[in-house]
Amino acid sequence: MVVFPNCKINLGLNILHKRDDGFHNLETVFYPVPVTDVLEITRSSTHGQDVIFSQSGNGIDGDIADNLCVKAWHLLKKDFPALPPVQMHLHKAIPMGAGLGGGSADGAFVLQLLNKKFNLGIAETALIPYALQLGSDCPFFMVNKPCFATGRGEQLQPLKLSLSGYTLLLINPGIHINTGWAFKQLGGILTNRESKNLLRHIAEPVANWRNLVVNDFEAAVFPAYPAIQTIKEMLYDHGAGYAAMSGSGSSVFGLFKDAPPALSNLPTHYYVRSILL
Ligand code: C5P
């Protein structure tokens, strides 16, 4: 069975406060974006190994045991001992360490695919706690529609928000940002508020978002990586209705009502995609 895990952007991201469990409560709007990896899972014919994992496309850092796809299988195996050994192949196209939730999407899609392929009978709502064990961004991909998210990102409220007709210009400068590091940089910036009214602000026309909708990580990440801030400014200079960093970075996106600009003098190693939403 083959599936196509897509990525997301964050339309605003407000970090509210640090919790006793070390995580932060936040509010954000997740918006799915049709840039995808490719994931295939087949029942394994070889004995002895639980998951045989292979990959192609962009190289994935780190140990295979830490890969969210492999972790997802082990998570379900604990509660569903009959889950058979599998072979997984992941073709990685979504930039990594990029604030696009690509790894989270892969893990979430594995949970869904295993549930379906092996008839585990787990209801969608019951899959969310499994997804949250994999990572804070994973539950969103169970819904995969525009959502207002609170808590760590797992309390999801679908929104009637459509950017259909806008072109999304997505730029990643190839800087790998560790989410844990980005949260640590926030130390002095946290405001300990219950809400920053993102839900109200996102209901305004896109043209008003520039002055209302904020990604708090920008204040933490831009000083360390000025090249990311430069991309955001360039998108506004070229007529974006709204531009922001996604998640903890390093990807930046701009929303364009008309045809997006041709950006000719970007460094050649930048990843640039123009997507009609
Ligand atoms: O959940 P995830 O694995 O994506 O989180 C990576 C790190 O980011 C966590 O270990 C934690 O330090 C931080 N984090 C946080 N609050 C969140 C999400 C992540 O502090 N809501």
Side-chain angles (χ1 to χ4, degrees):
M1 197 181 265
V2 178
V3 290
F4 299 88
N6 58 278
C7 63
K8 57 82 183 167
I9 50 171
N10 297 85
L11 302 170
L13 202 170
N14 299 129
I15 313 294
L16 302 176
H17 52 257
K18 192 165 183 179
R19 315 179 340 172
D20 292 342
D21 64 3
F23 285 94
H24 294 76
N25 275 342
L26 50 81
E27 58 182 8
T28 188
V29 171
F30 288 116
Y31 199 92
V33 171
V35 170
T36 73
D37 290 336
V38 186
L39 172 74
E40 181 174 39
I41 299 188
T42 49
R43 189 188 279 262
S44 175
S45 46
T46 51
H47 292 284
Q49 247 179 307
D50 296 332
V51 183
I52 299 170
F53 182 81
S54 58
Q55 63 176 76
S56 53
N58 300 335
I60 302 173
D61 299 334
D63 207 326
I64 281 188
D66 295 330
N67 187 286
L68 291 187
C69 296
V70 177
K71 280 189 169 172
W73 184 91
H74 285 283
L75 201 56
L76 291 182
K77 179 73 175 174
K78 263 198 297 179
D79 291 346
F80 298 87
L83 189 66
V86 294
Q87 255 176 298
M88 290 185 195
H89 184 84
L90 179 65
H91 182 79
K92 197 75 205 149
I94 302 170
M96 287 167 283
L100 300 174
S104 304
D106 297 334
F109 273 64
V110 169
L111 292 176
Q112 285 175 317
L113 199 158
L114 293 174
N115 185 34
K116 191 168 169 199
K117 186 175 169 67
F118 298 112
N119 302 312
L120 303 182
I122 311 169
E124 187 186 294
T125 47
L127 270 179
I128 299 251
Y130 286 107
L132 187 61
Q133 286 186 61
L134 290 180
S136 306
D137 281 351
C138 289
F140 160 70
F141 291 100
M142 298 296 168
V143 182
N144 223 355
K145 295 187 185 94
C147 277
F148 176 65
T150 53
R152 281 169 57 193
E154 84 284 13
Q155 287 164 31
L156 296 156
Q157 174 184 335
L159 289 180
K160 280 203 183 73
L161 167 68
S162 173
L163 295 173
S164 168
Y166 277 91
T167 300
L168 177 82
L169 194 56
L170 186 60
I171 303 183
N172 182 272
I175 297 166
H176 192 292
I177 298 204
N178 177 288
T179 305
W181 170 85
F183 271 101
K184 281 204 190 91
Q185 308 312 301
L186 286 165
I189 300 170
L190 289 181
T191 52
N192 287 319
R193 277 202 254 165
E194 284 307 309
S195 165
K196 290 191 184 169
N197 300 316
L198 177 59
L199 193 54
R200 190 154 53 79
H201 293 151
I202 213 78
E204 298 254 348
V206 173
N208 297 354
W209 290 0
R210 182 173 185 169
N211 298 318
L212 294 171
V213 177
V214 173
N215 179 348
D216 286 340
F217 278 121
E218 290 182 358
V221 171
F222 284 177
Y225 299 104
I228 304 176
Q229 181 170 11
T230 303
I231 299 172
K232 177 175 167 178
E233 286 163 2
M234 185 196 59
L235 288 169
Y236 273 132
D237 288 347
H238 284 80
Y242 176 67
M245 189 173 81
S246 182
S248 54
S250 61
S251 300
V252 180
F253 63 88
L255 293 171
F256 293 84
K257 194 78 191 141
D258 303 313
L263 304 170
S264 50
N265 36 19
L266 291 178
T268 50
H269 68 277
Y270 278 24
Y271 169 96
V272 182
R273 284 284 303 269
S274 168
I275 303 136
L276 180 61
L277 294 173

